[in-house]
Amino acid sequence: MSLGRPRVHHRRTGSTNDEARTLALGGAPHGALVTASEQIAGRGRDGRRWAAPPGSALLCSLVLRDPPELLSLRAGVAVAEALDERARLKWPNDVLIDGRKVAGILVEARPRERWAVLGIGVNVAVELAQLPSELHASAGTLGLGRSAIEPLLGAVLSALERRLGDRVEQVLDAWRSRDALYGLTVAWSGGEGTARGVDEQGRLLVELAGAVHALDAGEVHLR
Ligand code: BTN
């Protein structure tokens, strides 16, 4: 397996994505991995922060050279597969179990330099009461012990290795089979409509007054 080597582990760091970006800029090979027990400046999508009590979450970032198209969806599928049969995907790649977000993925790409950093956070042993109160309604946890973090990392890397090599159709089929939003009413900055899955570019399709809109970025909310 090419993912996970070399590996740098930090007991405490700012953000593993920042560490991995530094490695990428320094020439680290495809698959180089940064993990941490604690992040003091963990980042989420859309400028949000990502919080997890020390030692309770899988916090990792990979350097990927020549990343394939649909990286964000591939990563969501792989993490869901590593977790649980019940894991579902909220576009583009939030991983939910029983409607609660247990894992988040942050892709930071440098297309012109042909690399990306793929950051993954999974609430493995997180106690929800220890998370910031604004997350209490939406966050979930696997509710496992801390000893489950390392085996889960192995499962995520194996699933990713497979999914990074898949054809686009295989990725889309796998993503669609775990689509948490299909048929539900969602709201985004342009309005409110019914989620209709993803197109071949990984955009979210939303039906509104008989027309189908393709969203390629931004946030959607369940109504
Ligand atoms: C999101 O759902 O908003 C994405 C969350 C991504 C969190 C992970 S934790 C490891 C890596 N380092 C970071 O600073 N963020 C990602």
Side-chain angles (χ1 to χ4, degrees), residues 14-18 34 39 41-51 58-61 93-95 101 103-108 117-122:
S15 157
T16 56
N17 264 38
D18 292 343
V34 180
Q39 293 184 128
R43 290 187 282 109
R45 290 202 322 271
D46 301 319
R48 286 186 299 258
R49 71 191 183 106
W50 180 265
L58 171 60
L59 304 167
C60 66
S61 300
N93 55 21
D94 286 349
V95 184
K101 178 166 169 175
I105 292 166
L106 179 64
V107 175
E108 296 180 310
V117 166
L118 170 61
I120 299 170
V122 185

Short mmCIF file of all heavy atoms in Angstrom, two decimals, residues 14-18 34 39 41-51 58-61 93-95 101 103-108 117-122, ligand 1:
data_model
loop_
_atom_site.label_atom_id
_atom_site.label_comp_id
_atom_site.label_asym_id
_atom_site.label_seq_id
_atom_site.Cartn_x
_atom_site.Cartn_y
_atom_site.Cartn_z
N GLY A 14 -1.08 22.28 15.16
CA GLY A 14 -2.13 23.22 14.77
C GLY A 14 -3.19 22.47 13.98
O GLY A 14 -4.27 22.17 14.47
N SER A 15 -2.83 22.16 12.74
CA SER A 15 -3.73 21.43 11.85
C SER A 15 -2.89 20.43 11.05
O SER A 15 -1.86 20.82 10.48
CB SER A 15 -4.42 22.41 10.89
OG SER A 15 -4.86 21.74 9.72
N THR A 16 -3.33 19.19 10.99
CA THR A 16 -2.57 18.20 10.20
C THR A 16 -2.58 18.58 8.72
O THR A 16 -1.65 18.24 7.99
CB THR A 16 -3.14 16.78 10.38
OG1 THR A 16 -4.53 16.78 10.04
CG2 THR A 16 -2.93 16.27 11.80
N ASN A 17 -3.63 19.28 8.27
CA ASN A 17 -3.62 19.71 6.87
C ASN A 17 -2.49 20.69 6.60
O ASN A 17 -1.84 20.64 5.55
CB ASN A 17 -4.97 20.36 6.48
CG ASN A 17 -5.91 19.38 5.82
OD1 ASN A 17 -5.96 18.21 6.22
ND2 ASN A 17 -6.65 19.82 4.82
N ASP A 18 -2.24 21.58 7.56
CA ASP A 18 -1.13 22.53 7.38
C ASP A 18 0.21 21.80 7.37
O ASP A 18 1.11 22.12 6.58
CB ASP A 18 -1.15 23.59 8.48
CG ASP A 18 -2.36 24.51 8.36
OD1 ASP A 18 -2.98 24.54 7.28
OD2 ASP A 18 -2.69 25.18 9.35
N VAL A 34 0.23 12.58 7.77
CA VAL A 34 0.41 13.28 9.05
C VAL A 34 -0.77 12.92 9.94
O VAL A 34 -1.93 13.01 9.50
CB VAL A 34 0.44 14.81 8.86
CG1 VAL A 34 0.62 15.50 10.21
CG2 VAL A 34 1.54 15.22 7.90
N GLN A 39 -5.36 18.62 17.78
CA GLN A 39 -5.15 19.79 16.93
C GLN A 39 -5.65 21.02 17.69
O GLN A 39 -6.74 21.00 18.25
CB GLN A 39 -5.96 19.70 15.64
CG GLN A 39 -5.53 18.61 14.69
CD GLN A 39 -6.33 18.64 13.39
OE1 GLN A 39 -5.76 18.64 12.32
NE2 GLN A 39 -7.64 18.64 13.49
N ALA A 41 -5.75 24.00 16.07
CA ALA A 41 -6.34 24.88 15.06
C ALA A 41 -6.90 24.04 13.91
O ALA A 41 -6.66 24.31 12.74
CB ALA A 41 -5.30 25.87 14.55
N GLY A 42 -7.65 22.99 14.28
CA GLY A 42 -8.24 22.11 13.27
C GLY A 42 -9.22 22.89 12.41
O GLY A 42 -9.98 23.71 12.91
N ARG A 43 -9.16 22.65 11.11
CA ARG A 43 -10.00 23.41 10.18
C ARG A 43 -11.01 22.52 9.50
O ARG A 43 -10.73 21.35 9.19
CB ARG A 43 -9.12 24.08 9.11
CG ARG A 43 -8.30 25.20 9.69
CD ARG A 43 -7.56 26.00 8.65
NE ARG A 43 -6.36 25.28 8.18
CZ ARG A 43 -6.25 24.74 7.00
NH1 ARG A 43 -7.23 24.80 6.14
NH2 ARG A 43 -5.13 24.13 6.66
N GLY A 44 -12.21 23.09 9.28
CA GLY A 44 -13.24 22.40 8.52
C GLY A 44 -13.48 23.13 7.21
O GLY A 44 -12.76 24.07 6.88
N ARG A 45 -14.48 22.70 6.48
CA ARG A 45 -14.80 23.36 5.21
C ARG A 45 -15.41 24.72 5.48
O ARG A 45 -15.95 24.98 6.54
CB ARG A 45 -15.77 22.51 4.40
CG ARG A 45 -15.15 21.24 3.84
CD ARG A 45 -15.94 20.72 2.64
NE ARG A 45 -17.36 20.90 2.81
CZ ARG A 45 -18.17 20.01 3.39
NH1 ARG A 45 -17.66 18.90 3.87
NH2 ARG A 45 -19.46 20.24 3.49
N ASP A 46 -15.35 25.55 4.44
CA ASP A 46 -15.99 26.87 4.49
C ASP A 46 -15.56 27.70 5.69
O ASP A 46 -16.38 28.39 6.31
CB ASP A 46 -17.53 26.73 4.48
CG ASP A 46 -18.01 25.99 3.24
OD1 ASP A 46 -17.47 26.27 2.15
OD2 ASP A 46 -18.90 25.14 3.37
N GLY A 47 -14.29 27.58 6.04
CA GLY A 47 -13.72 28.42 7.09
C GLY A 47 -14.14 28.05 8.51
O GLY A 47 -13.82 28.77 9.46
N ARG A 48 -14.83 26.93 8.64
CA ARG A 48 -15.23 26.54 10.01
C ARG A 48 -14.05 25.90 10.73
O ARG A 48 -13.08 25.51 10.12
CB ARG A 48 -16.40 25.55 9.95
CG ARG A 48 -17.73 26.20 9.58
CD ARG A 48 -18.83 25.19 9.68
NE ARG A 48 -18.61 24.09 8.77
CZ ARG A 48 -19.23 23.94 7.60
NH1 ARG A 48 -20.12 24.82 7.22
NH2 ARG A 48 -18.98 22.91 6.81
N ARG A 49 -14.20 25.79 12.05
CA ARG A 49 -13.13 25.07 12.75
C ARG A 49 -13.59 23.64 12.99
O ARG A 49 -14.78 23.33 12.94
CB ARG A 49 -12.73 25.79 14.03
CG ARG A 49 -13.72 25.75 15.15
CD ARG A 49 -13.31 26.72 16.24
NE ARG A 49 -14.23 26.63 17.35
CZ ARG A 49 -13.94 26.05 18.51
NH1 ARG A 49 -12.75 25.53 18.70
NH2 ARG A 49 -14.84 26.01 19.47
N TRP A 50 -12.62 22.79 13.28
CA TRP A 50 -12.91 21.38 13.55
C TRP A 50 -12.36 21.07 14.94
O TRP A 50 -11.16 21.14 15.16
CB TRP A 50 -12.27 20.47 12.50
CG TRP A 50 -12.54 19.02 12.74
CD1 TRP A 50 -11.73 18.14 13.41
CD2 TRP A 50 -13.70 18.29 12.34
NE1 TRP A 50 -12.32 16.91 13.43
CE2 TRP A 50 -13.53 16.96 12.79
CE3 TRP A 50 -14.86 18.61 11.64
CZ2 TRP A 50 -14.47 15.97 12.56
CZ3 TRP A 50 -15.79 17.63 11.41
CH2 TRP A 50 -15.60 16.33 11.86
N ALA A 51 -13.23 20.74 15.83
CA ALA A 51 -12.80 20.53 17.23
C ALA A 51 -12.97 19.08 17.63
O ALA A 51 -13.94 18.43 17.24
CB ALA A 51 -13.65 21.42 18.14
N LEU A 58 -9.79 10.36 15.17
CA LEU A 58 -8.80 10.14 14.11
C LEU A 58 -8.63 11.47 13.39
O LEU A 58 -9.60 12.03 12.86
CB LEU A 58 -9.31 9.07 13.13
CG LEU A 58 -8.47 8.89 11.85
CD1 LEU A 58 -7.04 8.48 12.19
CD2 LEU A 58 -9.12 7.85 10.93
N LEU A 59 -7.41 11.98 13.41
CA LEU A 59 -7.10 13.27 12.78
C LEU A 59 -5.93 13.01 11.84
O LEU A 59 -4.82 12.71 12.30
CB LEU A 59 -6.69 14.30 13.83
CG LEU A 59 -7.70 14.54 14.97
CD1 LEU A 59 -7.06 15.33 16.11
CD2 LEU A 59 -8.95 15.24 14.46
N CYS A 60 -6.17 13.07 10.55
CA CYS A 60 -5.08 12.72 9.64
C CYS A 60 -5.17 13.49 8.33
O CYS A 60 -6.26 13.93 7.93
CB CYS A 60 -5.07 11.22 9.37
SG CYS A 60 -6.48 10.60 8.48
N SER A 61 -4.03 13.65 7.70
CA SER A 61 -3.97 14.32 6.40
C SER A 61 -2.95 13.61 5.52
O SER A 61 -1.86 13.25 5.99
CB SER A 61 -3.56 15.79 6.56
OG SER A 61 -4.48 16.47 7.36
N ASN A 93 -19.31 15.39 1.19
CA ASN A 93 -18.64 14.24 1.81
C ASN A 93 -18.73 14.20 3.33
O ASN A 93 -17.86 13.61 3.97
CB ASN A 93 -17.16 14.17 1.37
CG ASN A 93 -16.43 15.45 1.65
OD1 ASN A 93 -16.86 16.24 2.49
ND2 ASN A 93 -15.33 15.67 0.98
N ASP A 94 -19.74 14.82 3.90
CA ASP A 94 -19.92 14.62 5.34
C ASP A 94 -20.38 13.18 5.55
O ASP A 94 -21.25 12.70 4.82
CB ASP A 94 -21.02 15.54 5.90
CG ASP A 94 -20.58 16.98 6.02
OD1 ASP A 94 -19.37 17.24 5.86
OD2 ASP A 94 -21.45 17.83 6.27
N VAL A 95 -19.81 12.51 6.54
CA VAL A 95 -20.21 11.13 6.79
C VAL A 95 -21.12 11.09 8.02
O VAL A 95 -20.73 11.54 9.10
CB VAL A 95 -18.97 10.22 6.99
CG1 VAL A 95 -19.40 8.77 7.14
CG2 VAL A 95 -18.00 10.37 5.82
N LYS A 101 -23.28 13.75 12.13
CA LYS A 101 -22.00 13.78 11.42
C LYS A 101 -20.89 13.20 12.29
O LYS A 101 -20.55 13.76 13.34
CB LYS A 101 -21.67 15.22 11.04
CG LYS A 101 -20.34 15.40 10.35
CD LYS A 101 -20.25 16.76 9.72
CE LYS A 101 -18.85 17.09 9.25
NZ LYS A 101 -18.78 18.37 8.55
N ALA A 103 -17.89 12.11 10.71
CA ALA A 103 -16.60 12.35 10.06
C ALA A 103 -16.71 13.50 9.07
O ALA A 103 -17.75 13.69 8.44
CB ALA A 103 -16.11 11.09 9.33
N GLY A 104 -15.62 14.26 8.97
CA GLY A 104 -15.56 15.37 8.02
C GLY A 104 -14.28 15.27 7.19
O GLY A 104 -13.28 14.71 7.66
N ILE A 105 -14.35 15.82 6.00
CA ILE A 105 -13.23 15.70 5.05
C ILE A 105 -12.94 17.07 4.46
O ILE A 105 -13.86 17.78 4.05
CB ILE A 105 -13.61 14.70 3.93
CG1 ILE A 105 -13.72 13.29 4.54
CG2 ILE A 105 -12.59 14.73 2.79
CD1 ILE A 105 -14.39 12.29 3.65
N LEU A 106 -11.67 17.43 4.45
CA LEU A 106 -11.26 18.72 3.92
C LEU A 106 -10.19 18.51 2.85
O LEU A 106 -9.08 18.09 3.17
CB LEU A 106 -10.71 19.60 5.05
CG LEU A 106 -10.20 20.99 4.67
CD1 LEU A 106 -11.33 21.86 4.12
CD2 LEU A 106 -9.55 21.67 5.88
N VAL A 107 -10.56 18.75 1.60
CA VAL A 107 -9.60 18.62 0.49
C VAL A 107 -9.06 20.00 0.17
O VAL A 107 -9.82 20.94 -0.06
CB VAL A 107 -10.28 18.04 -0.76
CG1 VAL A 107 -9.30 18.03 -1.94
CG2 VAL A 107 -10.81 16.64 -0.50
N GLU A 108 -7.75 20.15 0.18
CA GLU A 108 -7.11 21.40 -0.20
C GLU A 108 -6.14 21.08 -1.34
O GLU A 108 -5.12 20.43 -1.12
CB GLU A 108 -6.41 22.03 1.00
CG GLU A 108 -7.46 22.41 2.06
CD GLU A 108 -6.88 23.04 3.31
OE1 GLU A 108 -5.92 22.47 3.88
OE2 GLU A 108 -7.37 24.09 3.72
N VAL A 117 -3.95 17.96 -0.55
CA VAL A 117 -3.92 17.43 0.82
C VAL A 117 -5.35 17.00 1.13
O VAL A 117 -6.31 17.74 0.91
CB VAL A 117 -3.44 18.49 1.82
CG1 VAL A 117 -3.74 18.05 3.25
CG2 VAL A 117 -1.95 18.73 1.64
N LEU A 118 -5.45 15.78 1.60
CA LEU A 118 -6.76 15.22 1.97
C LEU A 118 -6.79 15.06 3.49
O LEU A 118 -6.05 14.24 4.04
CB LEU A 118 -6.94 13.86 1.28
CG LEU A 118 -8.13 13.02 1.72
CD1 LEU A 118 -9.44 13.74 1.47
CD2 LEU A 118 -8.11 11.68 0.97
N GLY A 119 -7.61 15.86 4.14
CA GLY A 119 -7.69 15.81 5.60
C GLY A 119 -8.97 15.13 6.05
O GLY A 119 -10.04 15.38 5.50
N ILE A 120 -8.83 14.26 7.02
CA ILE A 120 -9.98 13.47 7.50
C ILE A 120 -10.03 13.54 9.02
O ILE A 120 -9.02 13.33 9.70
CB ILE A 120 -9.82 12.00 7.06
CG1 ILE A 120 -9.78 11.90 5.53
CG2 ILE A 120 -10.97 11.14 7.62
CD1 ILE A 120 -9.39 10.52 5.01
N GLY A 121 -11.20 13.82 9.53
CA GLY A 121 -11.41 13.78 10.98
C GLY A 121 -12.58 12.88 11.28
O GLY A 121 -13.64 13.00 10.67
N VAL A 122 -12.39 11.93 12.19
CA VAL A 122 -13.47 11.01 12.57
C VAL A 122 -13.63 11.02 14.08
O VAL A 122 -12.65 10.80 14.82
CB VAL A 122 -13.18 9.56 12.11
CG1 VAL A 122 -14.39 8.67 12.41
CG2 VAL A 122 -12.82 9.48 10.63
C1 BTN B 1 -15.54 19.49 7.51
O1 BTN B 1 -16.43 18.64 7.60
O2 BTN B 1 -15.80 20.70 7.61
C2 BTN B 1 -14.14 19.04 7.28
C3 BTN B 1 -13.44 18.66 8.55
C4 BTN B 1 -12.03 18.13 8.33
C5 BTN B 1 -11.31 17.90 9.62
C6 BTN B 1 -9.98 17.24 9.44
S1 BTN B 1 -9.25 16.76 10.97
C7 BTN B 1 -7.74 16.42 10.16
C8 BTN B 1 -7.53 17.49 9.12
N1 BTN B 1 -6.87 18.66 9.70
C9 BTN B 1 -7.67 19.72 9.72
O3 BTN B 1 -7.35 20.84 10.18
N2 BTN B 1 -8.85 19.43 9.19
C10 BTN B 1 -8.91 18.06 8.73
#
